[in-house]
Amino acid sequence: MTDTTDRPLAGLLEAIAERAAKGESISVGTIQDIAGERIAGPLLFFPAMIVVSPLSLIPTLPTIVGTTVVLIASQLIAGRKTIWLPERLRRASLSPERTQKALEFLRPAVAWIEKLSKARLTFLTDGLGMRLAAFVCILVALTMPPLELVPGASTSAGSIIATFGLALTTRDGLLLLFALTLVFGGAYLLIRWLF
């Protein structure tokens, strides 16, 4: 594995690329195995970023990602250190060809992201901050199945979840605060507009 401590996402991405290059289909379980102890952030980030990519047009993919996010985030709220996923969900996978297409989209995004995000205010990515982020991810993930009815509409939900996954992966408390502020600010404005 080509992981490095200062570029955790790039390291995970290259490990996934190596497996896809060998002809391996990349499943949620594959990401779980590669990420190891840092499982929560990557399991939120990578599937959500796939929904942001053109692969979001694959039927049922946003629903699979949304279901995965709900299961992961629920366990984060419960304080679990290891994430359990049903075997059927762990086996949900992309072919090596589709994985390579997703990686082409993800590589420049990850390179740009890792220039901006770094470990800071790390205490906010544990405890209450992590649980609050997980709760917001659940709310956003629940919108993904209905959004799938409109092609490409799940992209915004995927972007929000990916931001929280990024914050947890890189232990960037400032980014987590920024994401929470945007989400709650947006929700407040929406409620004001509706009522």
Side-chain angles (χ1 to χ4, degrees):
M1 181 172 164
T2 58
D3 189 19
T4 61
T5 55
D6 60 333
R7 300 184 64 222
L9 289 176
L12 290 168
L13 206 65
E14 290 314 308
I16 291 169
E18 287 170 14
R19 294 200 183 191
K22 294 175 183 176
E24 183 179 335
S25 293
I26 303 301
S27 66
V28 175
T30 305
I31 297 172
Q32 192 173 23
D33 293 340
I34 292 171
E37 293 179 357
R38 299 161 305 165
I39 188 59
L43 264 188
L44 292 173
F45 178 80
F46 283 113
M49 282 298 288
I50 288 172
V51 173
V52 174
S53 81
L55 294 178
S56 64
L57 300 176
I58 297 173
T60 74
L61 184 62
T63 296
I64 291 170
V65 170
T67 303
T68 303
V69 168
V70 169
L71 283 172
I72 295 164
S74 298
Q75 293 176 68
L76 290 178
I77 291 171
R80 285 181 58 92
K81 298 298 182 185
T82 57
I83 303 296
W84 172 86
L85 293 173
E87 194 57 34
R88 186 172 181 178
L89 190 55
R90 272 181 54 86
R91 290 197 310 264
S93 63
L94 291 176
S95 67
E97 295 76 23
R98 282 184 168 163
T99 299
Q100 294 291 358
K101 287 181 182 177
L103 291 174
E104 288 173 15
F105 173 82
L106 287 172
R107 275 196 180 98
V110 165
W112 180 76
I113 283 167
E114 288 194 323
K115 288 179 182 177
L116 300 178
S117 185
K118 60 183 178 182
R120 53 193 163 188
L121 302 177
T122 56
F123 67 94
L124 293 175
T125 62
D126 296 317
L128 183 60
M130 181 188 67
R131 286 177 168 84
L132 185 56
F135 177 71
V136 172
C137 285
I138 289 173
L139 295 179
V140 174
L142 291 174
T143 69
M144 294 181 89
L147 285 176
E148 189 175 343
L149 299 174
V150 181
S154 57
T155 298
S156 57
S159 299
I160 293 168
I161 294 168
T163 302
F164 283 111
L166 169 65
L168 294 177
T169 301
T170 59
R171 295 182 55 77
D172 190 342
L174 185 61
L175 179 62
L176 191 143
L177 273 180
F178 177 70
L180 286 172
T181 301
L182 284 180
V183 170
F184 287 119
Y188 173 76
L189 291 175
L190 179 62
I191 291 169
R192 286 286 304 267
W193 181 72
L194 290 174
F195 302 103

